[in-house]
Amino acid sequence: MSLEERMRSAVAALLHATGESQTDLAAAVGVSQAQVSRRQSGTAAWSLADCEAVAAHYGITAHDLLAGPTRAAEALPTERRRIPGRHATAARPAPVDGGV
């Protein structure tokens, strides 16, 4: 598997693991959904800057991202994983701050 294929596979695995859409990822890394779609289909390439932005968005290292889908998904912080039955963009409960 080429490095580009590993990147595309890792992004797909992270989208699935978090329940995010390409639109969610695009907004987080500062590109359009169409640009994410082209990168994921292989008609455009992910840049090194994209790689760093995607990794930062998911809270993993670029090394974990480029290692492929299994490593990227395993490195994903628990709090970023989707909860079955809840959409990723749904409002999350506010943290309890002592009742203030």
Side-chain angles (χ1 to χ4, degrees):
M1 182 182 295
S2 72
L3 187 58
E4 183 65 31
E5 291 169 328
R6 275 188 274 167
M7 176 69 179
R8 287 194 309 266
S9 295
V11 169
L14 291 167
L15 288 170
H16 178 75
T18 61
E20 288 185 336
S21 67
Q22 287 185 354
T23 302
D24 297 327
L25 178 59
V29 299
V31 299
S32 70
Q33 181 279 325
Q35 289 172 310
V36 171
S37 179
R38 285 192 292 275
R39 287 170 173 102
Q40 282 301 97
S41 70
T43 58
W46 288 100
S47 70
L48 290 175
D50 293 332
C51 178
E52 290 177 336
V54 169
H57 171 66
Y58 287 114
I60 64 174
T61 68
H63 180 76
D64 288 332
L65 180 64
L66 294 174
T70 302
R71 175 100 169 252
E74 289 172 349
L76 187 66
T78 304
E79 63 271 9
R80 291 301 318 270
R81 297 178 188 280
R82 93 173 128 172
I83 297 172
R86 187 182 76 196
H87 188 271
T89 59
R92 295 186 180 184
V96 176
D97 61 359
V100 176

